[in-house]
């Protein structure tokens, strides 16, 4: 009981005084964020503002120069990305990174590595534990595909799917690790307008159905305005504004930095 | 039941081969070719794990074969030979101990693969290729400088072990062990690579960043994969040493590594059945080109023009085989099978065997 109460009160993601320098360049400067369970937050900023760097720091690809990142209350300092994912922070990429020569089903199955529960020798002797786990993994994977309405593509290769479906599959794959926090890096990039509408529906549906906290980078302002309850704006690694979409829309600093001096 | 018919067929074939060898239906030359095919299958399928399934580029696979050959040779001489003093074990135990000796050779080879797999955390492609060549040279040079096991003169005495097996039962023992270990190799690799665990290897090949972010412990998988590949190559080396009865560091140099690579690229990257097929084809081709008559016939248009030139089969072989590789890379760069298995090419085979 006690642990349950604790998880309800700890933020899913907490970033304190995060600074990242690449040589002389400060990509992220004194960045703070607290995401409580169930939030759907946005992160925007002009190109090169440091958005993806923040995501890369959270998922463990870079070790921060200064500051602290806590995923579900656990500091991630020194953890490799696969460990961070096991803590409950999954992500997608700006350019789709699926395993293109593995079937759709295998793409989902391999993402279960964090809770595989068996090793090399089990896989060779096909022990009881191996068989149980493989059956569970296969069941879970096909259930997930069914939920995402991707079941009919199960034996297809991802490279043969339409772009929008690939996006969907990548999000499904990220969710197969049962994350508490889902980082979406420009999910609408490269989608046409009808796909974008579908994506908005999909993200909202995921947010409710999977009970997951979502933090999203996105350039499509309509996606952001539609989905996010809170938006944080960064430029040159500094936080320049944060608040509700309406607040951000009219914030003078945002208009100057992100949308330019002209009218939208 | 039908799904196991290929297994049954293979076992019947193996038993048939053993009986034929025992009753001298096939002579010792054919036996040697069959054993070489087995060893080459072990080498190509194990290298295929690294170069095919994981998509790394290593060219020092013979180094691990070398480690396995030396370790199992020394153990076998210690246990059953008289070179280092009295044999440690009674000759009657040889049939049980010999596979263990081969496996220990494989385990030591697997550990030695850390020399390549640890650098592979941070390096890929050409850089890892250079590291693997360097490791190949390191191991050969180290052995050449160990005088107590013969140094560059080589090491022998393993035939004592084979003789003690023949004393127990007069049969084609080495053929039996080669067949057993070839089946063992394919069994291990197929099961490893078709599990969700082993598919992590393919994930690393296709997108390492995505693999890492999707909770695949890439470093661990790399170590395991290199260890399996090197361990099986080590077993192949032990068998090779006991068939020839003599090992020399230079027989595991870069040329041997290249042979393994040729088989992998000929068969198709990441295709287990391709690696098996190409190992069989490649070994047969090597044997055919060993015949002076066939080489003369093949080269007759050229020798007519240059009557003074008398090509020797041993030399021409190493012109023909690289040429074959050039032709394959030009016209079918994905190899005989590509990354497909036999069952993808002939779907009806699925009824008889589960390839994946």
């Amino acid at each position: 009981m006690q642990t349950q109460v604790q998880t309800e009160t700890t933020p899913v993601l907490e970033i304190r005084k995060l600074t990242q320098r690449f040589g002389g360049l400060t990509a992220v400067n004194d960045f703070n964020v607290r995401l409580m369970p169930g939030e759907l937050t946005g992160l925007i900023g002009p190109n090169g503002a440091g958005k993806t760097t923040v995501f890369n720091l959270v998922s463990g690809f870079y070790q921060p120069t200064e500051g602290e990142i806590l995923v579900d209350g656990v500091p991630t300092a020194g953890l490799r990305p696969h460990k961070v994912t096991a803590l409950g922070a999954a992500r997608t990429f700006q350019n789709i990174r699926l395993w293109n020569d593995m079937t759709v089903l295998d793409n989902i199955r391999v993402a279960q590595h964090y809770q595989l529960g068996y090793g090399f020798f089990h896989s060779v002797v096909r022990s009881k534990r191996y068989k149980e786990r493989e059956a569970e993994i296969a069941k879970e994977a096909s259930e997930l595909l069914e939920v995402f309405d991707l079941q009919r593509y199960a034996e297809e290769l991802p490279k043969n799917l339409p772009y929008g479906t690939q996006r969907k599959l990548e999000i499904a794959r990220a969710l197969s690790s049962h994350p508490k926090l889902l980082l979406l890096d420009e999910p609408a990039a490269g989608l046409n307008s009808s796909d974008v509408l579908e994506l908005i529906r999909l993200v909202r549906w995921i947010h409710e159905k999977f009970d997951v906290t979502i933090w999203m980078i996105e350039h499509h302002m309509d996606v952001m305005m539609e989905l996010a309850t809170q938006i944080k704006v960064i430029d040159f690694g500094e936080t320049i504004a944060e608040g509700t979409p309406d607040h951000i829309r009219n914030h003078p600093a945002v208009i100057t930095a992100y949308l330019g001096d002209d009218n939208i | 039941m039908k799904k196991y018919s290929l297994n049954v067929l293979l076992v019947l074939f193996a038993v048939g081969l053993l009986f034929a060898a025992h009753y001298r239906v096939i002579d010792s030359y054919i036996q040697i070719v069959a054993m070489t095919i087995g060893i080459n299958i072990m080498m190509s399928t194990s290298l295929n794990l690294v170069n095919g399934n994981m998509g790394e580029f290593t060219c020092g696979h013979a180094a691990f074969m070398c480690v396995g050959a030396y370790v199992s040779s020394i153990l076998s001489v210690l246990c059953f030979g008289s070179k280092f003093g009295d044999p440690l074990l009674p000759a009657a135990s040889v049939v049980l101990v010999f596979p263990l000796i081969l496996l220990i050779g494989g385990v030591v080879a697997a550990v030695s693969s850390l020399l390549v797999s640890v650098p592979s955390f941070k390096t890929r492609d050409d850089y890892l290729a250079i590291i693997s060549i360097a490791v190949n040279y390191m191991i050969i040079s180290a052995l050449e400088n160990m005088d107590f096991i013969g140094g560059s003169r080589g090491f022998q005495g393993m035939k004592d072990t084979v003789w003690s097996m023949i004393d127990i039962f007069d049969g084609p023992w080495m053929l039996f062990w080669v067949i057993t270990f070839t089946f063992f190799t394919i069994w291990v690799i197929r099961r490893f690579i078709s599990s969700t665990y082993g598919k992590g290897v393919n994930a690393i090949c296709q997108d390492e960043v995505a693999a890492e972010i999707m909770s695949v412990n890439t470093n661990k998988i790399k170590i395991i994969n290199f260890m399996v590949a090197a361990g099986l190559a080590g077993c192949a080396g032990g068998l090779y040493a006991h068939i020839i009865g003599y090992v020399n560091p230079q027989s595991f140099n870069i040329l041997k590594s290249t042979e393994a690579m040729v088989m992998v690229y000929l068969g198709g990257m990441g295709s287990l059945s391709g690696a098996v097929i190409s190992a069989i084809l490649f070994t047969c081709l090597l044997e055919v080109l060993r015949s002076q008559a066939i080489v003369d016939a093949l080269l007759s248009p050229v020798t007519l023009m240059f009557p003074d030139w008398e090509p020797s089969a041993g030399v021409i072989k190493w012109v023909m085989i690289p040429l074959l590789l050039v032709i394959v890379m030009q016209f079918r760069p994905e190899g005989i099978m590509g990354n497909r298995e036999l069952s993808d090419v002939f779907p009806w085979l699925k009824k008889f065997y589960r390839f994946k």
Side-chain angles (χ1 to χ4, degrees):
Chain A
M1 266 327 263
Q2 252 186 345
T3 50
Q4 212 176 9
V5 172
Q6 217 173 16
T7 47
E8 267 169 18
T9 51
T10 44
V12 175
L13 176 70
E14 187 165 15
I15 299 179
R16 294 192 204 121
K17 293 190 180 338
L18 184 71
T19 299
Q20 175 72 5
R21 293 191 196 92
F22 296 114
L25 176 81
T26 307
V28 179
N29 192 16
D30 195 19
F31 186 86
N32 294 286
V33 84
R34 253 173 96 89
L35 298 185
M36 299 311 284
E39 278 186 39
L40 206 168
T41 315
L43 177 64
I44 60 173
N47 285 331
K51 306 178 296 288
T52 303
T53 308
V54 171
F55 272 25
N56 283 342
L57 283 160
V58 172
S59 50
F61 276 113
Y62 305 142
Q63 291 299 321
T65 320
E66 279 164 37
E68 240 192 330
I69 301 169
L70 293 101
V71 173
D72 204 27
V74 184
T76 64
L79 292 185
R80 290 194 23 234
H82 70 95
K83 287 274 181 201
V84 178
T85 310
L87 281 179
R91 72 172 283 188
T92 64
F93 294 90
Q94 207 167 326
N95 44 341
I96 298 177
R97 281 175 174 269
L98 290 164
W99 299 304
N100 276 321
D101 284 319
M102 284 198 301
T103 62
V104 167
L105 188 65
D106 281 348
N107 265 274
I108 306 276
R109 279 168 58 184
V110 172
Q112 302 281 325
H113 257 248
Y114 75 106
Q115 54 157 10
L116 213 49
Y118 71 84
F120 170 71
F121 287 103
H122 286 281
S123 78
V124 171
V125 299
R126 300 269 146 119
S127 64
K128 198 170 154 233
R129 198 195 316 173
Y130 168 86
K131 283 179 183 149
E132 284 171 5
R133 286 297 300 134
E134 285 283 314
E136 279 167 31
I137 288 168
K139 185 165 158 272
E140 222 169 288
S142 57
E143 275 173 7
L144 191 74
L145 285 184
E146 211 155 307
V147 166
F148 274 84
D149 196 23
L150 292 166
Q151 188 66 291
R152 64 207 139 115
Y153 301 122
E155 294 302 318
E156 297 270 346
L157 297 182
K159 62 184 172 192
N160 300 333
L161 301 181
Y163 198 77
T165 315
Q166 290 188 23
R167 272 278 176 228
K168 198 170 166 187
L169 175 60
E170 202 192 17
I171 296 174
R173 187 181 66 173
L175 283 169
S176 73
S177 59
H178 300 291
K180 299 186 185 78
L181 172 69
L182 179 62
L183 305 173
L184 299 176
D185 194 346
E186 293 198 34
L191 299 185
N192 60 32
S193 48
S194 71
D195 281 346
V196 168
L197 288 179
E198 166 126 5
L199 181 86
I200 293 173
R201 269 201 300 275
L202 180 72
V203 173
R204 186 172 286 146
W205 173 75
I206 287 167
H207 186 226
E208 285 161 13
K209 163 114 186 161
F210 289 85
D211 191 26
V212 62
T213 311
I214 297 179
W215 197 18
M216 179 168 71
I217 296 177
E218 189 46 76
H219 278 303
H220 281 250
M221 287 314 285
D222 35 343
V223 177
M224 231 9 148
M225 297 296 160
E226 189 77 31
L227 284 171
T229 49
Q230 285 283 314
I231 296 180
K232 210 172 165 68
V233 191
I234 59 174
D235 194 16
F236 296 112
E238 310 255 4
T239 309
I240 55 171
E242 57 184 310
T244 59
D246 282 330
H247 176 69
I248 293 299
R249 203 201 296 263
N250 302 318
H251 200 290
V254 180
I255 294 170
T256 327
Y258 189 85
L259 304 166
D261 277 327
D262 297 323
N263 286 334
I264 312 166
Chain B
M1 216 44 230
K2 225 177 171 186
K3 281 214 161 130
Y4 296 100
S5 48
L6 187 68
N7 303 26
V8 173
L9 211 68
L10 281 173
V11 170
L12 284 180
F13 172 74
V15 171
L17 200 65
L18 285 170
F19 268 100
H22 182 55
Y23 293 107
R24 304 276 185 274
V25 181
I26 51 175
D27 58 13
S28 55
Y29 170 69
I30 302 283
Q31 281 184 48
I32 288 277
V33 174
M35 287 191 276
T36 314
I37 286 178
I39 287 172
N40 279 346
I41 288 177
M42 289 176 77
M43 287 301 283
S44 71
T45 49
S46 61
L47 182 62
N48 191 29
L49 265 184
V50 176
N51 280 25
N53 292 90
M54 197 157 68
E56 298 285 6
F57 188 67
T58 63
C59 353
H61 205 49
F64 308 126
M65 191 184 183
C66 181
V67 172
Y70 264 86
V71 170
S72 54
S73 300
I74 292 165
L75 281 175
S76 136
V77 169
L78 274 176
C79 292
F80 303 106
S82 49
K83 194 171 174 174
F84 294 135
D86 288 335
L88 292 175
L89 295 173
S93 65
V94 66
V95 178
L96 293 174
V97 175
F98 183 65
L100 280 181
I101 287 176
L102 291 178
L103 286 176
I104 294 171
V107 168
V108 177
V111 172
S112 74
S113 79
L114 288 174
L115 284 172
V116 183
S117 60
V118 172
S120 82
F121 295 169
K122 299 219 162 163
T123 28
R124 273 197 83 103
D125 304 333
D126 317 6
Y127 306 102
L128 192 66
I130 291 167
I131 289 172
S132 65
I133 293 174
V135 168
N136 201 158
Y137 275 104
M138 269 161 63
I139 286 175
I140 289 176
S141 309
L143 286 169
E144 275 184 337
N145 286 295
M146 289 184 188
D147 257 345
F148 63 100
I149 47 170
S152 55
R153 292 184 309 281
F155 182 78
Q156 54 189 344
M158 294 78 85
K159 277 287 179 197
D160 289 349
T161 312
V162 182
W163 292 129
S164 2
M165 279 191 274
I166 289 174
D167 283 343
I168 293 170
F169 174 76
D170 186 12
W173 277 103
M174 283 321 292
L175 186 62
F176 169 72
W177 290 120
V178 169
I179 290 173
T180 313
F181 271 85
T182 308
F183 283 4
F184 172 72
T185 302
I186 295 173
W187 182 75
V188 168
I189 292 177
R190 199 186 72 83
R191 290 195 150 194
F192 173 52
I193 220 66
S194 63
S195 69
T196 302
Y197 189 67
K199 277 179 181 150
V201 174
N202 272 330
I204 291 175
C205 168
Q206 287 163 36
D207 194 326
E208 196 173 335
V209 171
E212 180 74 38
I213 207 72
M214 286 301 139
S215 79
V216 178
N217 188 345
T218 50
N219 288 359
K220 190 178 165 194
I221 296 275
K222 278 180 184 175
I223 287 193
I224 300 266
N225 195 43
F226 267 108
M227 277 191 152
V228 176
L232 294 170
C235 293
L239 287 165
Y240 172 85
H242 284 84
I243 292 168
I244 309 284
Y246 167 76
V247 279
N248 179 329
Q250 279 306 329
S251 41
F252 304 102
N253 63 9
I254 195 82
L255 198 65
K256 193 85 186 166
S257 301
T258 312
E259 255 181 55
M261 280 174 64
V262 170
M263 287 187 280
V264 169
Y265 289 96
L266 200 65
M269 310 268 277
S271 163
L272 184 56
S273 37
V276 173
I277 292 169
S278 73
I280 297 170
L281 283 181
F282 181 77
T283 317
C284 293
L285 191 72
L286 274 185
E287 286 310 316
V288 168
L289 289 179
R290 191 171 277 195
S291 142
Q292 186 70 50
I294 290 173
V295 167
D296 283 345
L298 273 174
L299 288 179
S300 55
V302 187
T303 40
L304 274 179
M305 283 190 281
F306 305 101
D308 292 340
W309 186 43
E310 286 172 5
S312 96
V315 176
I316 288 303
K317 193 168 78 175
W318 286 110
V319 176
M320 299 284 210
I321 283 155
L323 184 69
L324 177 77
L325 198 61
V326 171
I327 293 171
V328 169
M329 288 298 116
Q330 273 293 307
F331 295 102
R332 202 173 160 78
E334 73 273 27
I336 299 171
M337 304 289 291
N339 60 3
R340 297 170 303 172
E341 296 295 336
L342 261 185
S343 57
D344 300 327
V345 186
F346 305 108
W348 53 269
L349 274 173
K350 274 184 197 154
K351 276 187 282 183
F352 301 105
Y353 188 66
R354 283 181 49 222
F355 282 87
K356 282 182 179 172

